[in-house]
Amino acid sequence: MSLIIAERLPADRMSTGQIAETALGIQVQNLGLPVCVVGCLGIVAWNLLREPTKVRPLWPLALMLFFFSAVAFSNLAASGGEIRSGSRIALLLALTIWSIQPRLADLRLLGIAGLVIVAICIALLPSGKAWMPSADIVIQEKALIGTQLMAGPFGQSNVLGMAFGVTMPFVFLFRRVWTRVGAFALMGYFLVLTGSRSTIIGLVGAVVIAFLMVCLRDRLLSGAVALVGAVGLVVVSFWLPLSTTDPQAFTQRGSIWMISRSTWTASTQSFLFGQGLGYYGIGGHFALFDHGSPTYHGHNEMLSLMTTSGAIALLAFLALVATALCGLLRSRLRGRRTGLFAVLVLLGCSIAETPLRIDAIDSLGWLTWFSLFAILVAATGSDEQRSGQDLPPPRSMSRSLSR
């Protein structure tokens, strides 16, 4: 709302993606949280009362509850009692999705969400507000096409890039082949306009693995490729920040990773429970004492989790991802390969970015956490829902990815 009324602000020491605040924008933001909470609780109550006998396995919800409980407890231990709302909002989202019990085919809504973002970007083009400020020469030098970076309705171009990256796999759930290919190509073009190299590289890696899955018609072999690919992406996510010794590497991510690693061995408490969710933000220890300016996250999902919430929360997160993967590998429902592709994209984007923020559930977080939770619930549904019926052999790569 503030972007429509006002304008983008030039990058400064605190942020590279600021939007001028307006009274209406602040009012909408203040009203948005209670409306969201009431709406989610209303959906949960409606679904439970409308279908009280529907089979809803509790253990996926318990797994999500354990993860966010670990995050909340770690933050309490590290911050001395500070309570943040991010984990509670994410848990409310998880509860809402669990009450709905979506099918994998229903996740085409995320593909539609990606196209809506494209439409908003196009609508902002005449006013010039779709682009990052042209005065930020250093930022604009990252452009892959032209001389500007597209940020669309988001504050920063990398955020828009991740929004496209995590929603693109779900366009393969569209019914017609030409809509799948056209939507993927359109969103891919806008992704390139964002100049988000970390998202593009993560997406390309996931596409290569998905292509190998499609080439192998055997269900067991394609599943093995997906599993090996997922494990490989997780290994790279750990290895890259752990092995980096140049502070200037990967557009200064090296310094963030090196400083973050040093906190793990500060004490047993730091290793188990981290530094707290406020570590990377304005006023956090990273900005005040370790680095000199805020970074808001560790630019790597595994490293961010380990630094802010410790080893227990990190293991709980890996258990979430592993459970989603196992459910997809066992599933025979339409959308199985699309779900695997989506998880691979999330893991690929996590190598040099933090798509799944836990300190605050922002506009990107709604997309990323929704996709992971929905895949987890859909893939680990009741035995009857998960078994489904075998689908006929696919006749094209696009059609195969929709299976």
Side-chain angles (χ1 to χ4, degrees), residues 236-312:
V236 172
S237 293
F238 279 106
W239 173 80
L240 191 63
L242 289 177
S243 62
T244 300
T245 57
D246 180 5
Q248 303 301 317
F250 306 106
T251 57
Q252 286 77 52
R253 283 174 172 82
S255 62
I256 299 172
W257 295 343
M258 293 168 65
I259 293 172
S260 299
R261 291 195 321 247
S262 66
T263 67
W264 302 353
T265 56
S267 65
T268 302
Q269 177 176 319
S270 296
F271 181 80
L272 293 177
F273 304 114
Q275 302 294 310
L277 296 178
Y279 175 72
Y280 289 114
I282 296 176
H285 198 280
F286 181 89
L288 294 179
F289 304 103
D290 296 341
H291 189 269
S293 60
T295 183
Y296 302 100
H297 56 84
H299 290 277
N300 176 283
E301 190 71 49
M302 309 304 170
L303 178 133
S304 293
L305 264 172
M306 182 67 188
T307 304
T308 60
S309 302
I312 296 177

Side-chain angles (χ1 to χ4, degrees), residues 39 68 122 125 144 165 177 214 242 300 314:
F68 287 109
I122 295 174
L125 284 175
L144 300 175
V177 174
V214 171
L242 289 177
N300 176 283
L314 176 60

Side-chain angles (χ1 to χ4, degrees), residues 32-329:
L33 180 60
V35 169
C36 173
V37 171
V38 172
C40 288
L41 291 176
I43 292 173
V44 172
W46 169 260
N47 286 322
L48 295 180
L49 292 174
R50 184 170 61 95
E51 296 179 306
T53 60
K54 184 175 182 177
V55 177
R56 295 182 176 89
L58 287 173
W59 65 272
L61 182 63
L63 193 60
M64 292 183 280
L65 175 61
F66 175 75
F67 168 66
F68 287 109
S69 296
V71 170
F73 180 81
S74 297
N75 186 62
L76 286 173
S79 64
E82 179 190 9
I83 298 177
R84 298 174 72 103
S85 61
S87 296
R88 289 176 292 174
I89 296 299
L91 186 57
L92 178 61
L93 176 63
L95 179 63
T96 305
I97 295 172
W98 172 81
S99 72
I100 297 172
Q101 289 290 303
R103 299 171 301 168
L104 288 171
D106 296 332
L107 302 189
R108 66 171 65 94
L109 290 175
L110 286 165
I112 295 173
L115 292 177
V116 169
I117 296 173
V118 169
I120 294 174
C121 292
I122 295 174
L124 291 172
L125 284 175
S127 65
K129 295 178 180 180
W131 308 98
M132 296 287 287
S134 58
D136 300 331
I137 299 176
V138 175
I139 296 176
Q140 302 297 355
E141 287 178 348
K142 299 178 181 179
L144 300 175
I145 297 179
T147 59
Q148 287 185 285
L149 294 175
M150 178 170 284
F154 299 96
Q156 221 269 351
S157 58
N158 273 340
V159 178
L160 176 62
M162 283 189 284
F164 284 136
V166 299
T167 54
M168 285 173 68
F170 298 101
V171 303
F172 289 103
L173 294 173
F174 293 168
R175 296 188 181 278
R176 298 184 182 278
V177 174
W178 69 268
T179 56
R180 300 173 199 158
V181 176
F184 191 84
L186 178 64
M187 293 169 66
Y189 175 72
F190 275 79
L191 169 59
V192 173
L193 289 178
T194 68
S196 179
R197 290 168 173 80
S198 52
T199 302
I200 294 173
I201 293 172
L203 178 64
V204 169
V207 167
V208 171
I209 299 171
F211 178 77
L212 294 175
M213 289 166 50
V214 171
C215 292
L216 296 173
R217 299 296 183 89
D218 184 80
R219 183 172 174 272
L220 180 61
L221 289 178
S222 66
V225 168
L227 182 59
V228 171
V231 172
L233 290 174
V234 171
V235 170
V236 172
S237 293
F238 279 106
W239 173 80
L240 191 63
L242 289 177
S243 62
T244 300
T245 57
D246 180 5
Q248 303 301 317
F250 306 106
T251 57
Q252 286 77 52
R253 283 174 172 82
S255 62
I256 299 172
W257 295 343
M258 293 168 65
I259 293 172
S260 299
R261 291 195 321 247
S262 66
T263 67
W264 302 353
T265 56
S267 65
T268 302
Q269 177 176 319
S270 296
F271 181 80
L272 293 177
F273 304 114
Q275 302 294 310
L277 296 178
Y279 175 72
Y280 289 114
I282 296 176
H285 198 280
F286 181 89
L288 294 179
F289 304 103
D290 296 341
H291 189 269
S293 60
T295 183
Y296 302 100
H297 56 84
H299 290 277
N300 176 283
E301 190 71 49
M302 309 304 170
L303 178 133
S304 293
L305 264 172
M306 182 67 188
T307 304
T308 60
S309 302
I312 296 177
L314 176 60
L315 291 175
F317 173 75
L318 292 175
L320 270 178
V321 175
T323 303
L325 283 171
C326 290
L328 288 168
L329 292 173

